[in-house]
Amino acid sequence: MPDKKLARRLKRSYDAVAARRLNKGIPPCNPKRKSWRPEDDRVLGTRPDDQIALLLRRTVASIKNRRRKLGICSKRARLSHPWTKNEDQLLGTRPDPELAHKFGRGLQSIRSRRRKLGVQAAPLDKAWTPRESKLLGTMPDKNLARLIGRGIATVRFHRLKLGLPPCNPIWKPWKEKDLALLGKFTDAKVAAHTGHPAGSVKMQRCKLGIPCCDSKRRPWLPEEDALLGKFSDQEVSRQTQRTFAAVRTRRIARGLAEPTARK
């Protein structure tokens, strides 16, 4: 179920549930998200996006994103985009998916035009040269694709196949000295000291399973845990000098029932 609903059910904060889910490597649950079916993909590009959105009961933005991801042009763009001599000359010199991305046309449009002109398709499994492979990860995939004349998807797939991390000039790698600060100071202080965004600090800390630093938070002692389930939450709260909500959350997390609620 969604994090917000689960947090309300478990009597925990939304951030705590989201952090726990990220720490376990569990993807979020979105019941409103509709999966794309093959019959839905076949409709893309046959009509304007707003008409297809009404037909499939999706947003116009969702239709556009899915169409662009599959390399399908809109109906309007397809009718108002005549073929040029330069485009005709490039047909067959590169794989159809790369030309579709380069021309901003649909894959089916590229194939139909090439067959109409009697041009053979270029092989999809173009061998990578040692020079091209060495460039993977040294620059963003988009720049490398433009440099070597390949599609972005092809460059990204080959980089992942070789196990190489992406090159992002905005992304700052984590150093050992920066990781050592996680959990010892608040996320805001670590972000200010390391130059990482606060959200990145929190995500990295949750990924490593490091609890947050809270100067007001007292760790639970074994003798305090021993009181849970033996006395009422109000009584444990009075003896431990903790809030009623903190005691109740701790008891539920340990799977203990309150004595007053027992039959």
Side-chain angles (χ1 to χ4, degrees), residues 95-113:
D96 292 344
E98 294 185 17
L99 292 179
H101 179 77
K102 179 179 180 63
F103 297 159
R105 297 179 180 272
L107 181 59
Q108 188 61 35
S109 177
I110 298 293
R111 291 173 178 173
S112 299
R113 183 67 175 179

Side-chain angles (χ1 to χ4, degrees), residues 25-223:
I26 302 174
C29 172
N30 187 359
K32 296 182 180 180
R33 183 178 181 182
K34 295 171 58 178
S35 59
W36 283 88
R37 302 172 300 177
E39 52 267 28
D40 296 339
D41 292 337
R42 287 194 289 267
V43 181
L44 298 175
T46 59
R47 302 181 183 181
D49 292 341
D50 54 350
Q51 295 183 12
I52 296 180
L54 292 175
L55 178 64
L56 300 181
R57 296 183 180 181
R58 296 177 180 269
T59 62
V60 177
S62 176
I63 298 297
K64 289 183 178 180
N65 292 335
R66 182 66 175 180
R67 178 172 52 75
R68 292 170 180 171
K69 182 178 181 180
L70 298 178
I72 301 174
C73 290
S74 63
K75 182 70 174 179
R76 185 176 304 171
R78 185 178 298 172
L79 293 176
S80 60
H81 192 183
W83 283 84
T84 64
K85 292 183 179 180
N86 184 34
E87 291 175 339
D88 289 340
Q89 293 175 356
L90 291 177
L91 291 174
T93 60
R94 299 179 185 177
D96 292 344
E98 294 185 17
L99 292 179
H101 179 77
K102 179 179 180 63
F103 297 159
R105 297 179 180 272
L107 181 59
Q108 188 61 35
S109 177
I110 298 293
R111 291 173 178 173
S112 299
R113 183 67 175 179
R114 179 174 49 74
R115 292 168 183 169
K116 182 179 180 179
L117 298 178
V119 179
Q120 294 292 331
L124 292 176
D125 53 348
K126 180 182 176 183
W128 281 76
T129 63
R131 171 183 171 273
E132 293 175 336
S133 299
K134 290 181 180 179
L135 293 175
L136 290 171
T138 61
M139 63 182 71
D141 295 341
K142 184 177 180 180
N143 297 347
L144 181 58
R146 189 184 305 111
L147 177 64
I148 63 179
R150 294 180 180 269
I152 299 178
T154 304
V155 173
R156 183 181 299 113
F157 175 79
H158 197 66
R159 177 177 54 76
L160 294 175
K161 184 179 179 181
L162 297 179
L164 298 175
C167 176
N168 188 350
I170 303 178
W171 180 76
K172 182 179 179 182
W174 280 87
K175 300 179 180 179
E176 292 295 333
K177 61 178 182 179
D178 296 339
L179 294 175
L181 300 177
L182 297 175
K184 297 182 180 179
F185 305 94
T186 62
D187 293 345
K189 290 184 178 180
V190 175
H193 182 76
T194 61
H196 288 279
S200 176
V201 173
K202 181 178 180 181
M203 183 175 297
Q204 185 70 17
R205 178 175 53 75
C206 294
K207 181 180 179 181
L208 298 177
I210 301 176
C212 62
C213 175
D214 188 356
S215 58
K216 299 180 180 179
R217 183 178 180 182
R218 289 188 294 131
W220 280 80
L221 302 176
E223 52 269 24

Side-chain angles (χ1 to χ4, degrees), residues 11-26:
K11 306 298 182 181
R12 293 179 177 270
S13 65
Y14 171 81
D15 292 338
V17 174
R20 183 70 172 179
R21 176 177 54 75
L22 290 173
N23 191 23
K24 293 292 184 179
I26 302 174

